[in-house]
Amino acid sequence: MSHDTTPGPDGLRVIAVDMDGTFLGPGSEFDRHRFAPLRHRMRQKDVRFVVASGNQEAQLLAYFADETEGVELTPDGVVSDNGAVVLAGNQRLLETEMDGPALSHAVSFLDRVEGLSFITSGPDGALMRDSEPEEMKQLLTFYHPQYRLVSTAEEMKGTRVSKIALVDLDGFSPTFMRSLTEALGESIIPVGSGHESVDLIVPGRHKASGLDVLLRHWGVVPEQVAAFGDSDNDVEMLAHVGAGVAMAEASERASSVAALRAPSNASGGVLTVLESWYPA
């Protein structure tokens, strides 16, 4: 695939973007002054902007707080927790939670794994063990700013959990992933989310299913959507829409299902493509 710098596909009504590794640069930020005029031109053409991420809704909205150059940047829709929680404007359209016994079993398994850091996330916020190393607390709460600490993993059970995020800065071994998959069975699905992270999600809930909730709400069909992504948890979304765009450093699976490719996120690749689709 070559980098896409041509006029955008005809009839686009929605642009959906993953955040980490896609819309955000290496410093977890984007060029607001470059995006503001694009956001304005997209509105003029009645094109909605959606953020679709494994991260928490509150964290995603915080990136777009406040106007830039007189332009409101807030997304029209947010698909968070890998499709489990969906927001349109100020209206929650979807709140998903894991099956109680499945959640209890998963938390017990994870709590027994020495050195594993994890956080649960759901419609009511996130929960994290107070015993987590300080480095991990800072990392996990950056992506889940609405959280509270619990003294034991038992307190995570019986709560509304949409997703469990696991982090290992050394990466997860194939042996661990096999044991994790065997332990979870078919009740909870592990999916790579990049950055030495794995998300445990509800079966049938992913970014594509969450995006579909928004599309039905707006009366838009997938063929009228372009989506940008880079990781395995973007695969369903990239394959589902009319124009799937993989980033230059996208995973093999994400690249294989995308029709188009964008330059690196380090150079603002999403903005580069959108500037070619919606020129000044």
Side-chain angles (χ1 to χ4, degrees), residues 200-270:
L200 308 185
I201 61 177
V202 177
R205 285 297 174 201
H206 40 64
K207 293 182 184 182
S209 67
L211 182 60
D212 261 347
V213 173
L214 282 172
L215 300 186
R216 289 193 297 271
H217 179 69
W218 291 329
V220 176
V221 296
E223 290 74 19
Q224 296 173 303
V225 181
F228 295 76
D230 75 304
S231 296
D232 287 359
N233 67 344
D234 296 312
V235 168
E236 292 88 354
M237 180 173 69
L238 295 176
H240 184 58
V241 300
V245 188
M247 305 306 292
E249 292 86 8
S251 71
E252 183 176 345
R253 289 188 63 213
S255 295
S256 70
V257 300
L260 304 171
R261 173 155 291 193
S264 167
N265 69 307
S267 63
V270 172

Side-chain angles (χ1 to χ4, degrees), residues 95-109:
E95 294 182 343
T96 307
E97 57 187 281
M98 291 181 176
D99 172 73
L103 170 63
S104 180
H105 176 68
V107 167
S108 294
F109 172 83

Side-chain angles (χ1 to χ4, degrees), residues 62-202:
Y63 282 115
F64 300 92
D66 304 322
E67 294 183 351
T68 297
E69 299 180 4
V71 178
E72 174 63 51
L73 303 184
T74 305
D76 299 293
V78 176
V79 176
S80 60
D81 284 344
N82 272 320
V85 180
V86 178
L87 182 74
N90 295 318
Q91 181 183 2
R92 278 264 182 92
L93 301 181
L94 178 69
E95 294 182 343
T96 307
E97 57 187 281
M98 291 181 176
D99 172 73
L103 170 63
S104 180
H105 176 68
V107 167
S108 294
F109 172 83
L110 298 173
D111 192 43
R112 292 194 298 268
V113 179
E114 186 176 354
L116 177 65
S117 293
F118 66 94
I119 188 169
T120 65
S121 179
D124 305 321
L127 299 176
M128 182 174 58
R129 297 173 298 183
D130 190 37
S131 59
E132 293 286 1
E134 192 60 34
E135 179 186 20
M136 287 296 102
K137 285 181 180 177
Q138 293 180 11
L139 177 63
L140 289 168
T141 58
F142 174 81
Y143 295 108
H144 306 83
Q146 288 186 348
Y147 74 96
R148 65 183 177 90
L149 298 175
V150 294
S151 56
T152 68
E154 284 293 316
E155 297 176 64
M156 296 175 171
K157 302 175 182 179
T159 61
R160 294 207 298 166
V161 173
S162 303
K163 176 204 71 175
I164 306 176
L166 322 180
V167 176
D168 188 330
L169 297 181
D170 295 325
F172 293 100
S173 70
T175 300
F176 171 77
M177 292 305 299
R178 282 194 296 270
S179 65
L180 176 66
T181 301
E182 291 172 3
L184 297 177
E186 297 181 355
S187 58
I188 299 176
I189 307 299
V191 59
S193 58
H195 303 282
E196 297 77 39
S197 301
V198 169
D199 286 344
L200 308 185
I201 61 177
V202 177

